Amino acid sequence: QVQLVESGGGLVQAGDSLRLSCIASRRTFSLYAMGWFRQAPGKEREFVAAISGSGGSTDYADSVKGRFTISRDTAKNTVYLQMNSLKPEDTAVYYCAVRLGGRVEVLVSDYGYWGQGTQVTVSS
């Protein structure tokens, strides 16, 4: 089974930065695309960023382009989401997910395994 554990969330002010981390099962990490999604109260879970199994391709939601960066460290079995210039509308629970395939995808339904989520709150 693929296991994912997120960390790095917290309470920050608008304009601040956070880096989220997701540790994945070592036996599968290098084979699969990884994604970050977020969900605010009353909203559907939405795509934020994804990275291919090779690390050579990435994709971002329009709302975070230029501010967020996804990366992976295969030696540490870890995916990161660097979040800069945070806005109040970024407030949500952020989830790490793995797709059982190497290509980047943007739909929630394309990802089969999820972490427990980490809360990000951005105040004005």
Side-chain angles (χ1 to χ4, degrees), residues 23-94:
I23 301 175
S25 300
R26 63 185 303 178
R27 80 173 74 88
T28 63
F29 182 78
S30 65
L31 300 176
Y32 306 126
M34 302 290 293
W36 286 98
F37 296 77
R38 66 188 182 187
Q39 187 167 20
K43 302 279 190 177
E44 293 186 349
R45 191 166 298 184
E46 65 177 2
F47 171 76
V48 176
I51 187 166
S52 64
S54 68
S57 297
T58 59
D59 198 11
Y60 299 91
D62 288 342
S63 60
V64 306
K65 285 182 179 177
R67 299 189 297 121
F68 291 9
T69 303
I70 188 170
S71 62
R72 65 195 304 163
D73 185 337
T74 56
K76 296 181 178 180
N77 301 310
T78 302
V79 174
Y80 303 97
L81 185 68
Q82 178 67 45
M83 305 185 294
N84 298 327
S85 301
L86 283 162
K87 304 175 181 180
E89 51 262 46
D90 295 318
T91 296
V93 177
Y94 283 70

